[in-house]
Amino acid sequence: MILGIGSDLANIDRIEGALARFGDRFRNRVFTEAEQRKAEGRREVAATYAKRWAAKEACSKALGTGLRMGIAWKDMAVTNLRSGQPVMHVTGWAAERLAQMTPAGHEAVIHVTLTDDHPWAQAFVVIEARPLGPPAAGG
């Protein structure tokens, strides 16, 4: 069952401007150390940050809160599997909100997809509740 859906479109040039203007203050307020390492190791640094910014916005929308109600930027973080597939991790208040949304007997799975085509970066997040344990016999 789908618990939440969120999407966001971020302007790469706007994120690049924030990086130039605020530098580490911006990076450290919004992005985890792992996200910063990933972005700084890429050729398209601003696009990488913009995709993660969009993912955080999309995740907050899927959680039903937007970036308010105590949710912090770094409560949501994107890493990548070896295959390159992005994975959303939540901690703090975002994890608490996710637990509140998840029905008993289910686990929450957050799906995220990212893309960019200058000057835009886009993210979609879908939060799914999957039943725990084996399927019921006899349907």
Side-chain angles (χ1 to χ4, degrees):
M1 113 182 45
I2 303 299
L3 298 179
I5 300 172
S7 68
D8 193 65
L9 188 64
N11 185 286
I12 296 169
D13 294 333
R14 184 174 147 244
I15 298 298
E16 189 170 41
L19 290 165
R21 184 172 177 196
F22 301 109
D24 285 342
R25 196 170 93 211
F26 174 68
R27 282 182 196 85
N28 294 332
R29 184 175 139 256
V30 177
F31 303 100
T32 65
E33 288 181 24
E35 289 174 312
Q36 291 180 47
R37 279 192 306 275
K38 177 74 169 183
E40 297 299 326
R42 302 292 295 270
R43 193 174 56 125
E44 298 294 331
V45 173
T48 302
Y49 278 122
K51 286 186 282 190
R52 278 148 178 76
W53 172 282
K56 291 167 188 273
E57 287 274 8
C59 185
S60 71
K61 292 170 185 174
L63 289 168
T65 64
L67 283 162
R68 56 186 171 85
M69 295 176 59
I71 217 167
W73 286 104
K74 293 195 315 187
D75 284 350
M76 301 163 288
V78 177
T79 62
N80 295 84
L81 300 177
R82 285 183 141 169
S83 65
Q85 177 184 346
V87 179
M88 177 65 71
H89 305 275
V90 293
T91 58
W93 198 91
E96 291 174 26
R97 172 69 181 144
L98 183 62
Q100 292 169 357
M101 294 172 61
T102 306
H106 290 73
E107 66 175 338
V109 179
I110 303 174
H111 303 277
V112 61
T113 186
L114 309 172
T115 192
D116 68 283
D117 187 5
H118 196 272
W120 301 108
Q122 186 174 35
F124 288 97
V125 170
V126 175
I127 302 175
E128 171 190 12
R130 287 188 188 158
L132 294 171

